[in-house]
Amino acid sequence: MKITIEGASEEFAREVLQLAAQQGANLSISTIETGWTAERAERYLRSLPAGARTFARIVVVDGDGHADADTLRAAVGKLNGPTVALSRAMPRGVKAGWWPEGTPAPIEKVDDPDHPSWQKAEAYVMSRDLVPIFRSAFARLASTQGAARAAGLHPGGAGKTSTSWAPDPSMLTGYNLVDLDGGSPPADDDQNEEGQQP
């Protein structure tokens, strides 16, 4: 029998094992931490589109865990795009196995207390204990991006890089083209019967 306990303390897991041993059961228990680690934070940030990553950087790095909604609007425009991206990153990460279910969202909305029914955000905050973890993740991202640029690679999106080099068409002369999706490549009117360009 195998039991997985998510978010429980090791002390709780020990007590469950002792109880099982008293009943003659042989159990294997693995505990899964639902908190944020530097690796999880970096994966989270890499999964975000540029606007949402800028939003998170303003909260974490510039605001030290707090950013007024007006400051964020001035930097990224409307907030609905970045905030939707932040919220969608959480279930996507659970589905991909990047962090366990129950991991709390790192950035939370603070509603305007004067307009509780309107739900207009007053600010966005991150817990003080998460700020150093996410600062470290931003530093690692910047280091990786700097190394990629130094190697002649240019960022191509969240967690991706692409080269600025493309082969000269004359380099492809004489090669049979293959469709990587498994189908046949479309007929190319620019090639003669031997696959050579005129």
Side-chain angles (χ1 to χ4, degrees), residues 2-54:
K2 180 178 179 181
I3 297 175
T4 300
I5 302 175
E6 295 184 4
S9 67
E10 288 191 25
E11 180 183 345
F12 177 80
R14 258 192 313 275
E15 289 178 15
V16 170
L17 282 173
Q18 287 176 350
L19 180 62
Q22 290 172 2
Q23 300 300 317
N26 186 10
L27 296 179
S28 172
I29 297 178
S30 60
T31 58
I32 300 172
E33 293 292 327
T34 57
W36 286 97
T37 64
E39 292 77 21
R40 287 177 183 171
E42 185 175 356
R43 175 75 75 160
Y44 175 83
L45 295 173
R46 283 185 185 276
S47 76
L48 298 175
R53 196 175 312 129
T54 299

Side-chain angles (χ1 to χ4, degrees), residues 49-75:
R53 196 175 312 129
T54 299
F55 181 106
R57 183 184 48 76
I58 292 169
V59 173
V60 176
V61 178
D62 301 349
D64 197 31
H66 181 278
D68 293 331
D70 291 336
T71 301
L72 291 163
R73 283 187 194 94

